[in-house]
Amino acid sequence: NDKVIVAKVFANKAAKLGFDAEAIDSHGTHVAGTIACDYLTLATVSGVTIPYLISGVAPAALLGNYNVFPGTIDDARSEDILNALDAAFEDGMDVANLSLGGDAHGIQDLLTIAIDNLDRAGMVIAVAAGNEGPGFSTVSSPGSAERALTAGASSVAHQVVNTITVPTAGGNVDIDVVEGDFDAVPTGTKVPIQVVIDAAGGRPDELSLACDASTALPKPLNDKTWAVIGRNVCTFSEKLRNVQAAGYAGAIVVNRDDDAFVMGDDGGASQPTIPGVMVSVKAGPTLKAATKDVALNAAAYKNPYGVADKMASFSSQGPTDVDRRIKPDVVAPGANVLSSIPGGQFAFFNGTSMATPHLAGAAAVVKGQHPTWDAWQIRSAIVNTAHHDVLTPSDSSVIVDDPNLVGNGRLDLLDAVGAQVLLDPVSISFGQVPNGSGSTRTASITVLNTSTGTVQVSIGSAGGTGMATFTASASIGAGTSATIPVAMSFAKKADAGPSWADLVVTDASNKVLATAQLYVLLG
């Protein structure tokens, strides 16, 4: 369509290799669709029609394609990304989406400095936190930038799933499977399966990870056999490549969590040409108990499928390296995300790359409703109105409030558009502080009250070790702003570990208008 008004390429080897800005890989097109897919679009996935019409977050937005991954290039230089950002700014783009990331290099990281500067100049930049979770301090660059609008990923409870029928001694068992982005699953057929065991692989169920190309997998039963292996360590492309090299016709990958999702390829030039599907970790024992060939059944759309608002296990977490700031800022859908891919097609993808365009689209909508707002105001509207009491960890049903897992919570676009209180910065971290001698430290936050009444600033709920105490109090009149102090203190020989609390802004009726996360790491 006519939404893409700029198409440029930024890669030092692009000209030599004959690459232009054309979208070859599906990643960028999927991201663009989440941002600005036409309002009420019919989508079909794997031959299954989605039973509702989909839309982008900002379906009226115009797009610029500043391609840093042209052709088969899958490793962008920081200098090329920086040049692309500068060009987008010079072309007048209000928002940039960076669904990418790499190793962070502290406070002197080239791209984190660039993003902070471009935000100050007026461009909102949404960035992926990274897919290196679970585990703290795994956030990547440039999602580690202070003024980046950094996205963590949560689940959407829908999917197009196949089933496989597994004969066991106790009868046939149907298992949901999710098809990966590889060769098509030959539905309507039966295939033998072979459970590949590696007791030294590190999984409790002892399934082989199929990650070591130098270690031969056992010979398959025949050329139609599918290998049953485990998820972890290496990419899905590597797993299927090794399985294919061993002579298997396909792979069933048992997840480490209680769900399944689309296994994406790693973007490399040499992709496997066999099908692969994922199953829940709970399906592992059933597959091990199979007595005959399994049947590969047709796909269907399921909603609900899994649990909504669950943090994706892969979503990277803060705090940042060196200065120990809160990241991500806010969470958006990043698991089981339906969007466009090249060729007029649609697919479900997973990753903080898929969460990021939800934030970029939200920024475009907020900018459209508040055209005079600066970048920091748009970021605050999105972050500080998020709902941080709805997300659960990938391995639990208990709501979690750790800011370095969930940021300030899950995006709520309607609340962001209606934001009446704006905060700068969007969160406060006191960094890492030695816990032996006791200390009091003070930071400041600017509160802009755009409402028609007076608002109150106070400290709300707290979490973590509880060793640190946070204090802040102010009354701010309608249409005014104030910079207020926020103090953090702890006693001598306090236990090491993180402490956090909510800074809460309420109106006269005690309605919460905005929240911000406060954080310190003792020890």
Side-chain angles (χ1 to χ4, degrees):
N1 57 33
D2 58 359
K3 286 185 177 180
V4 181
I5 59 173
V6 178
K8 299 178 179 180
V9 64
F10 296 85
N12 67 327
K13 296 181 180 179
K16 179 180 178 180
L17 295 172
F19 297 150
D20 58 18
E22 181 185 359
I24 302 298
D25 186 76
S26 55
H27 185 273
T29 301
H30 198 276
V31 166
T34 297
I35 295 171
C37 176
D38 283 339
Y39 183 62
L40 301 182
T41 295
L42 178 67
T44 300
V45 178
S46 299
V48 178
T49 299
I50 304 301
Y52 64 92
L53 301 178
I54 70 172
S55 302
V57 178
L62 299 177
L63 298 171
N65 167 20
Y66 299 83
N67 197 340
V68 298
F69 299 108
T72 57
I73 294 175
D74 59 4
D75 187 13
R77 302 186 312 151
S78 293
E79 294 83 355
D80 292 330
I81 298 170
L82 177 58
N83 290 337
L85 285 169
D86 283 344
F89 179 78
E90 291 170 1
D91 288 343
M93 295 294 170
D94 297 305
V95 181
N97 184 98
L98 291 184
S99 286
L100 50 77
D103 292 339
H105 297 94
I107 58 177
Q108 296 302 315
D109 184 275
L110 174 67
L111 287 178
T112 63
I113 294 172
I115 286 174
D116 288 346
N117 288 338
L118 286 165
D119 178 89
R120 292 185 181 96
M123 187 165 72
V124 179
I125 305 177
V127 189
N131 301 327
E132 304 306 318
F136 290 98
S137 293
T138 53
V139 66
S140 61
S141 167
S144 52
E146 180 178 4
R147 302 178 78 90
L149 180 58
T150 306
S154 61
S155 63
V156 185
H158 71 158
Q159 183 58 267
V160 168
V161 299
N162 297 70
T163 61
I164 58 175
T165 301
V166 183
T168 70
N172 289 344
V173 179
D174 286 338
I175 297 174
D176 287 339
V177 303
V178 178
E179 185 175 351
D181 291 326
F182 302 101
D183 198 29
V185 173
T187 57
T189 63
K190 290 185 177 183
V191 298
I193 62 171
Q194 187 168 331
V195 179
V196 183
I197 297 296
D198 178 8
R203 283 182 60 111
D205 55 16
E206 298 187 332
L207 289 175
S208 170
L209 302 180
C211 287
D212 189 352
S214 65
T215 302
L217 295 171
K219 185 178 179 180
L221 301 172
N222 56 47
D223 61 3
K224 299 182 185 301
T225 302
W226 282 43
V228 178
I229 59 175
R231 176 194 175 198
N232 250 3
V233 181
C234 63
T235 69
F236 298 119
S237 294
E238 291 175 278
K239 292 178 185 294
L240 266 66
R241 192 181 297 118
N242 292 335
V243 166
Q244 182 175 5
Y248 292 87
I252 300 174
V253 179
V254 179
N255 197 6
R256 62 192 182 211
D257 301 317
D258 293 337
D259 61 0
F261 56 82
V262 177
M263 298 181 294
D265 67 52
D266 59 12
S270 177
Q271 292 298 320
T273 57
I274 61 172
V277 298
M278 180 183 283
V279 299
S280 161
V281 68
K282 293 180 178 179
T286 301
L287 292 169
K288 286 184 175 181
T291 56
K292 295 181 181 179
D293 295 354
V294 304
L296 305 176
N297 305 317
Y301 176 77
K302 287 196 173 184
N303 186 350
Y305 175 78
V307 179
D309 293 329
K310 186 171 284 292
M311 289 300 301
S313 61
F314 56 75
S315 188
S316 288
Q317 303 166 24
T320 59
D321 61 345
V322 183
D323 49 3
R324 302 300 188 192
R325 284 178 290 99
I326 293 171
K327 287 291 176 177
D329 295 299
V330 67
V331 170
N336 296 338
V337 175
L338 172 62
S339 188
S340 51
I341 56 175
Q345 302 178 72
F346 299 84
F348 288 88
F349 281 8
N350 303 275
T352 54
S353 284
M354 283 57 255
T356 308
H358 285 86
L359 302 191
V365 172
V366 174
K367 177 70 174 180
Q369 296 297 308
H370 303 281
T372 63
W373 278 10
D374 289 334
W376 74 265
Q377 294 172 299
I378 296 171
R379 279 192 297 108
S380 175
I382 292 169
V383 175
N384 299 122
T385 61
H387 293 189
H388 63 287
D389 56 354
V390 297
L391 294 165
T392 59
S394 62
D395 58 355
S396 171
S397 60
V398 178
I399 290 174
V400 63
D401 62 351
D402 187 332
N404 281 300
L405 176 61
V406 301
N408 200 54
R410 189 204 61 202
L411 168 71
D412 187 307
L413 180 52
L414 186 62
D415 283 356
V417 168
Q420 299 180 72
V421 174
L422 306 172
L423 309 175
D424 188 24
V426 296
S427 63
I428 292 177
S429 174
F430 292 90
Q432 186 165 359
V433 183
N435 59 315
S437 60
S439 179
T440 296
R441 301 195 176 190
T442 303
S444 62
I445 189 168
T446 298
V447 181
L448 172 61
N449 176 15
T450 68
S451 75
T452 58
T454 299
V455 298
Q456 304 294 327
V457 178
S458 60
I459 300 298
S461 60
T465 64
M467 292 289 102
T469 300
F470 301 90
T471 55
S473 181
S475 179
I476 302 170
T480 65
S481 66
T483 299
I484 64 171
V486 180
M488 180 279 302
S489 61
F490 60 95
K492 292 181 179 180
K493 298 181 180 180
D495 291 344
S499 290
W500 59 83
D502 295 338
L503 183 142
V504 182
V505 184
T506 55
D507 64 11
S509 66
N510 209 34
K511 177 184 177 181
V512 175
L513 302 180
T515 60
Q517 299 299 301
L518 312 176
Y519 175 81
V520 66
L521 179 60
L522 301 182

